[in-house]
């Protein structure tokens, strides 16, 4: 249970960075909302990997190169799911892209990321 709570704290931290990056990219630099979302997801992914390896799963002793490769595979799935979800919810359901990103990120984060990191990346 402690690992799950730590993972949620790491995920929340990465999500805050993700959302701030997305907002800065779209609102300040006027990126297209999907490019802003991809940029935010990338930055958040780096934060999440670092926290997962060093704190959540305490996997510093394991092969970092293999972890990075596995994380990139999982992250690519996360990116695809998040980007597709944000696009579908925004474009077809006409929900604001920020709310779309919140809904999709929460769904993907709890239903995909935690399990893949625990059972595949940081073992």
């Amino acid at each position: 249970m402690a690992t799950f709570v730590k993972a949620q704290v790491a995920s929340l931290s990465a999500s805050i960075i993700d959302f701030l990056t997305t907002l800065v990219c779209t609102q300040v630099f006027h990126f297209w909302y999907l490019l802003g979302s991809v940029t935010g997801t990338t930055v958040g992914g780096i934060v999440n990997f670092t926290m997962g390896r060093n704190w959540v799963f305490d996997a510093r002793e394991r092969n970092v190169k293999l972890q990075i490769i596995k994380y990139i595979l999982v992250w690519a799935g996360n990116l695809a799911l998040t980007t597709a979800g944000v696009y579908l919810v925004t474009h077809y359901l006409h929900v604001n892209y920020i709310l779309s990103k919140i809904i999709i990120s929460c769904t993907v984060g709890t239903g995909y990321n935690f399990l893949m990191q625990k059972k595949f990346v940081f073992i």
Side-chain angles (χ1 to χ4, degrees):
M1 186 61 143
T3 301
F4 181 77
V5 171
K6 285 181 177 181
Q8 298 315 304
V9 169
S11 179
L12 179 61
S13 300
S15 293
I16 290 169
I17 298 298
D18 175 349
F19 283 98
L20 288 174
T21 302
T22 299
L23 287 173
V24 168
C25 287
T26 57
Q27 301 299 313
V28 176
F29 297 115
H30 306 289
F31 286 17
W32 180 41
Y33 74 91
L34 279 184
L35 179 58
S37 180
V38 168
T39 305
T41 300
T42 301
V43 174
I46 292 167
V47 169
N48 191 260
F49 173 82
T50 303
M51 291 182 77
R53 182 173 197 278
N54 295 314
W55 180 59
V56 176
F57 299 103
D58 194 23
R60 290 180 298 259
E61 304 291 322
R62 299 186 189 111
N63 183 337
V64 69
K65 290 178 186 176
L66 183 58
Q67 288 174 341
I68 289 170
I69 291 167
K70 288 179 174 182
Y71 188 85
I72 288 171
L73 291 171
V74 171
W75 178 84
N78 172 69
L79 180 61
L81 291 168
T82 301
T83 302
V86 169
Y87 176 77
L88 292 171
V89 172
T90 301
H91 188 74
Y92 291 108
L93 299 179
H94 307 288
V95 174
N96 178 277
Y97 77 94
I98 296 169
L99 182 56
S100 297
K101 182 139 175 116
I102 291 168
I103 293 166
I104 298 302
S105 294
C106 290
T107 303
V108 172
T110 55
Y112 173 80
N113 290 341
F114 174 72
L115 292 174
M116 292 300 289
Q117 288 180 26
K118 181 178 181 183
K119 301 291 185 182
F120 178 67
V121 176
F122 297 113
I123 57 171

